[in-house]
Amino acid sequence: MFELTINNTVYQFNFGFGFLRDINKTYKSVDEKTKQERELGLQYNIASIIDGDVEAIVTILDIANKGCDPRITRQDIEKYIEDENTNIDNLFDTVMDFLSKANCTKKEVQKFMENLEELKKNQN
């Protein structure tokens, strides 16, 4: 379990199998050759975080807090992000840190980051 303190309340976030199943449902793609649908939500949201997409942070935190007590609402996450006292850069780093350490997501994050580094290297 990972924790964040939001508005003086400590919330837990679980990046386990339930999270993985639910986050993967947020983005689907169809393989052109096999015509099979693939769920790619984790990869999509990792890329979105790297791109600075605030909505991705909301989605990730909302899904990761599902089933936890206390339960934070999506609206409260959005208010926390809108608050001028929230260090948004730190929040992005924290969420990526959570994803890179959780057993169910760390391999995908590692693979994504390696592919990103390879792309950067090939562009130079």
Side-chain angles (χ1 to χ4, degrees):
M1 287 282 184
F2 298 91
E3 295 180 344
L4 279 175
T5 301
I6 299 173
N7 299 326
N8 297 319
T9 302
V10 177
Y11 294 97
Q12 294 183 329
F13 300 89
N14 185 358
F15 295 88
F17 277 110
F19 168 80
L20 190 58
R21 283 186 206 102
D22 289 345
I23 197 75
N24 276 335
K25 292 176 186 175
T26 64
Y27 185 83
K28 297 177 183 178
S29 178
V30 176
D31 186 299
E32 292 297 320
K33 292 180 184 177
T34 65
K35 303 297 183 202
Q36 290 185 341
E37 187 174 81
R38 294 182 56 208
E39 294 180 340
L40 302 169
L42 179 59
Q43 295 93 331
Y44 180 82
N45 280 283
I46 291 168
S48 295
I49 289 174
I50 291 169
D51 286 343
D53 185 345
V54 179
E55 287 183 291
I57 293 285
V58 174
T59 298
I60 289 169
L61 291 176
D62 182 48
I63 292 172
N65 182 250
K66 186 176 175 182
C68 295
D69 188 31
R71 177 76 166 119
I72 189 168
T73 65
R74 192 171 180 92
Q75 184 179 18
D76 284 341
I77 296 169
E78 291 170 358
K79 285 180 185 176
Y80 174 70
I81 290 170
E82 289 175 346
D83 186 333
E84 64 186 39
N85 295 315
T86 298
N87 183 333
I88 193 71
D89 295 323
N90 186 46
L91 183 61
F92 273 91
D93 292 342
T94 300
V95 171
M96 277 302 290
D97 187 55
F98 288 170
L99 291 168
S100 68
K101 290 181 179 174
N103 278 343
C104 291
T105 57
K106 69 181 174 182
K107 287 293 186 186
E108 193 63 46
V109 171
Q110 181 182 9
K111 183 172 76 173
F112 189 92
M113 296 308 287
E114 287 170 0
N115 289 340
L116 183 61
E117 285 302 315
E118 189 66 29
L119 280 172
K120 286 180 182 178
K121 198 166 47 172
N122 289 336
Q123 288 179 348
N124 293 331

